[in-house]
Amino acid sequence: VPEVDGKAARRPFEDDPQESPTITVLSAIATALAVPTSYLFEREQVIAGISVVRRDEHRVVDIAPGAINVVLGHPVEESNIHFVLLELRKGAESEKVSSHPVGSIERARVAEGRVEITVADEKVQLEAGDSCSFIADRPHGYRNTGLGTAKVYLVVEFGTE
């Protein structure tokens, strides 16, 4: 245990719960730091700087045969926005998502290949470089209509209801 002035050093409030700050004090600290109060309770924090996820560290989710979602970046607790890379092998399609919460918006940009996006009863064909956005609280899905693997970047902003 490190020592300070001949006494064992400890973190404030570590040993005596009666010394713990009130929620009012924590709220004031959070306000002064310009962070949400919940930030003070998180074990791993990125207050400043760049959070990096290396290519072999991304979370990969199999969503259907020949279709995967690669979750890009670290999720941010207070955020309702997800950044995803959808990869569809030739002929593959994502399972049709029944819907996201009310008010959700999905933005898609085709990076490689050709895809058909279906939202409710509407269909649209997109090629590399094309993008679209739609209200995502309706059933929707993606299908590769090209000759090779299709890659689509998605930004999904989930509604709050």
Side-chain angles (χ1 to χ4, degrees):
V1 177
E3 291 189 4
V4 176
D5 295 331
K7 296 181 181 178
R10 66 180 179 84
R11 284 185 277 158
F13 321 120
E14 180 176 62
D15 299 324
D16 186 356
Q18 290 182 345
E19 289 184 9
S20 296
T22 65
I23 194 68
T24 304
V25 171
L26 290 174
S27 179
I29 292 169
T31 300
L33 294 173
V35 297
T37 304
S38 63
Y39 226 65
L40 301 176
F41 298 98
E42 296 173 6
R43 293 207 178 268
E44 295 180 27
Q45 299 178 21
V46 179
I47 294 176
I50 300 172
S51 175
V52 175
V53 180
R54 300 291 176 197
R55 76 177 90 194
D56 58 342
E57 297 173 340
H58 290 286
R59 186 168 60 96
V60 177
V61 181
D62 288 312
I63 59 171
I68 62 169
N69 274 343
V70 180
V71 179
L72 304 174
H74 291 292
V76 178
E77 264 186 59
E78 293 83 19
S79 176
N80 62 340
I81 297 174
H82 291 207
F83 183 36
V84 176
L85 170 61
L86 170 63
E87 292 187 12
L88 298 165
R89 288 196 295 256
K90 181 180 176 183
E93 60 185 285
S94 67
E95 290 184 357
K96 207 168 195 181
V97 177
S98 58
S99 68
H100 295 308
V102 172
S104 296
I105 299 171
E106 195 157 319
R107 295 167 180 86
R109 182 180 190 278
V110 179
E112 294 179 25
R114 181 179 173 89
V115 296
E116 177 184 81
I117 300 175
T118 303
V119 181
D121 295 328
E122 188 177 352
K123 294 182 182 197
V124 64
Q125 292 283 333
L126 299 179
E127 297 180 355
D130 294 344
S131 61
C132 72
S133 60
F134 55 91
I135 302 300
D137 56 12
R138 299 174 290 162
H140 58 280
Y142 296 81
R143 184 170 66 91
N144 183 346
T145 57
L147 301 175
T149 297
K151 294 184 179 182
V152 183
Y153 287 98
L154 306 173
V155 176
V156 184
E157 182 177 355
F158 290 100
T160 55
E161 292 183 31

